Amino acid sequence: MEAEMEMIHKNDTWELVDKPVNRKIIGVKWVFRTKNNIDGSLNKHKARLLVKGYSQQQGSVFLNGFLKEEIFIEQPEGFKVAGEEHKVYKLKKALYGLKQAPRAWYDRIDAYLSNLGFEKSISKPTLYVKKAEKETLLIVSLYVDNLLVTGCKGELIEDFKKQIVDVFKMTDLGLMTYFLGMEVNQNEHGIFINQQAFAQKVLSKFNMSKCKHVSTPVALGEKLSSTSEHDRVDEKEYRSLVGCLLYLTATRPDILYAVSLLSRFMHCYNVTYFKAAKRVLRFVKGTLGYGVKFERAKELKLVSYSDSDWAGSVDDMKSTSGYFFTLGSGVFSWSSKKQQTVAQSIAEVEYIADAGAVNQAIWLRKLLYDLNEEQVEATEIKVDNQSAVAIAKNPMFHGKTKHFKIKYHFVREAELSKEINLVHCCSEVQLADILTKPLAATKFEYLNKQIGVCCFVAKEEC
């Protein structure tokens, strides 16, 4: 707490003034947190002083996210100035908790990085790249007040870290091994990311550390419906479980379909859904330590796999779209989402799924361009439906496609501009199958290996 107060005073964040008349004084609160290492050992104790920003009123002390008006806060307990307890602090800069705080921090770090010669990505405003002609010198990615830094030379990275640490008083954590609950293993062969520690916490939280594991996260042929009549379960527990599983999908695409399916029933939780959610946890228990593997590749070629099921939702007959993107080796981008439209044919279902993959492909191509990894050739999107491919490549009017929503014909435009290229592939090699439907154990395990989901074994192939 003393360290936090010292930093606040050092940054000249506020000044002590007399309490103003007819002005709202915002309260403050201390938040304490214990930060641990990957192995569970203590890293440090942290205290943070937060402003109760929820009491801010639109049009008074809060105006479009900027510190436009004077803001007064009370003195924090335990640190009131002796003899001047009746006074309050007038903020010069934003503190954590204020509605202005995120924008104020972003504006400051954005200005600093721009002065250092970084270019902000248009496609992703939290990505900054420093270039020298065709060479990428440094890449900085922001996540709130966390910075990930990489570059082509170690000395450039070290120089940058010294500059940023000196200005913003940050802590240099060295080579990334743990970030936002994700564990990162890096070696000369590639990178492996997983969330084993977080998964163990989830298993312990729901008393399933000793449960029997299952071979697949979703039972083959299982159909969930919001109209089924079963006993209700605890609302908070079900939502908490699904929320934990959603966070696990950051490194576990093999459970994404199951978790996406369960998240559709947050409003009508019952015993059936809770058992289905626990089945996913049982699968996680049997595959504890699994994650996504990325090997070093000579060529960074963007490739996509797109697929869908057919009227998988019992409630509204809507289908589920899914896609994977690979870059060199291993998948790095994935999605499983119920479609917004009821399709009248398998071709329409696949075409709608392709449209979602095309949107993501165009955004990723822009992102890679910003990183000096321009995709000169069209990005292949592999589809296992020949009719969907024909619809995209043939702009002629057809009676069976006249009811398609106009937004989905964006696929044709991307095809004509040579940004994407829909390619037919057989169903046996369609990786996105694992994102759209329940599978038998044999095929599920095969696809899992193909997308690079495995267990990390030091000095050995996964």
Side-chain angles (χ1 to χ4, degrees), residues 88-135:
V88 296
Y89 282 117
K90 176 185 174 183
L91 289 183
K92 297 180 181 179
K93 299 177 181 177
L95 269 179
Y96 282 100
L98 283 176
K99 290 182 171 69
Q100 296 95 331
R103 179 66 67 89
W105 158 248
Y106 178 77
D107 287 344
R108 187 182 177 196
I109 191 71
D110 175 71
Y112 179 77
L113 292 175
S114 298
N115 289 335
L116 290 181
F118 283 86
E119 296 178 17
K120 180 168 60 176
S121 170
I122 298 175
S123 303
K124 191 171 181 62
T126 57
L127 180 67
Y128 293 81
V129 184
K130 191 172 186 178
K131 305 176 183 178
E133 296 181 355
K134 291 296 182 179
E135 185 180 16

Side-chain angles (χ1 to χ4, degrees), residues 33 35 44 46 48 96 105 109 113 126-128 140-149 160 164 170-171 173 176 178-181 247:
R33 186 181 176 189
K35 304 195 83 172
K44 64 178 178 179
K46 191 171 185 178
R48 177 152 284 167
Y96 282 100
W105 158 248
I109 191 71
L113 292 175
T126 57
L127 180 67
Y128 293 81
V140 176
S141 180
L142 302 180
Y143 184 84
V144 192
D145 58 353
N146 298 284
L147 275 72
L148 298 180
V149 186
F160 172 77
I164 201 85
M170 292 184 173
T171 303
L173 300 178
M176 185 170 66
Y178 192 68
F179 183 72
L180 300 175
Y247 194 68

Side-chain angles (χ1 to χ4, degrees), residues 351 358 362 392 408-420:
Y351 193 65
V358 169
I362 291 174
Y408 298 128
H409 287 303
F410 173 68
V411 177
R412 287 179 174 176
E413 185 177 316
E415 180 83 35
L416 289 172
S417 64
K418 305 297 182 183
E419 288 185 279
I420 63 101

